[in-house]
Amino acid sequence: QVQLVESGGGLVQAGGSLRLSCAASGRISSINAMGWYRQAPGKQRELVAVIRRGGSTRYDDSVKGRFTISRDNAKNTVYLEMNSLKPEDTAVYYCNGDFYMGGGRSYESWGQGTQVTVSS
């Protein structure tokens, strides 16, 4: 199995910045993709950003130009740099990963979530 541990959430004023980190541990052969989702109260969980094996990225339109996803392959860690934060970015942010475990097996894992609150 793969465990994901998130850090970096918190309270920030509108216009501020936060950096989320998510470290994966386990017997990982390689990373297919890692990304960030968020879920605001009363809303469905939505994709924020994803970075794939080859380095390609995809962002939700609402965060393009403000958020940047990156990774450190040596540390099996993905980051989400969030700038120009808005109150509507307030949510629980979840890390997600799709991992190749070897032997033709893949494994999907979720982090426990980290709260991001942006005050107006």
Side-chain angles (χ1 to χ4, degrees), residues 18-35:
L18 284 173
R19 188 191 195 211
L20 305 183
S21 300
C22 173
S25 62
R27 303 184 70 171
I28 301 168
S29 290
S30 61
I31 298 173
N32 294 324
M34 289 187 74

Side-chain angles (χ1 to χ4, degrees), residues 99-120:
F99 305 94
Y100 180 63
M101 309 302 286
R105 296 180 300 114
S106 291
Y107 185 87
E108 183 182 21
S109 186
W110 287 90
Q112 78 283 359
T114 185
Q115 177 70 46
V116 172
T117 303
V118 184
S119 62
S120 57

Side-chain angles (χ1 to χ4, degrees), residues 54-118:
S56 63
T57 58
R58 182 163 69 94
Y59 296 90
D60 183 79
D61 287 345
S62 66
V63 306
K64 283 181 181 177
R66 300 188 298 123
F67 291 11
T68 302
I69 190 169
S70 62
R71 67 186 181 193
D72 183 332
N73 289 332
K75 296 181 179 180
N76 286 341
T77 299
V78 66
Y79 305 96
L80 186 68
E81 187 75 34
M82 304 185 293
N83 298 315
S84 302
L85 282 160
K86 305 175 181 180
E88 50 264 44
D89 294 317
T90 295
V92 178
Y93 284 69
Y94 296 91
C95 179
N96 172 268
D98 180 31
F99 305 94
Y100 180 63
M101 309 302 286
R105 296 180 300 114
S106 291
Y107 185 87
E108 183 182 21
S109 186
W110 287 90
Q112 78 283 359
T114 185
Q115 177 70 46
V116 172
T117 303
V118 184

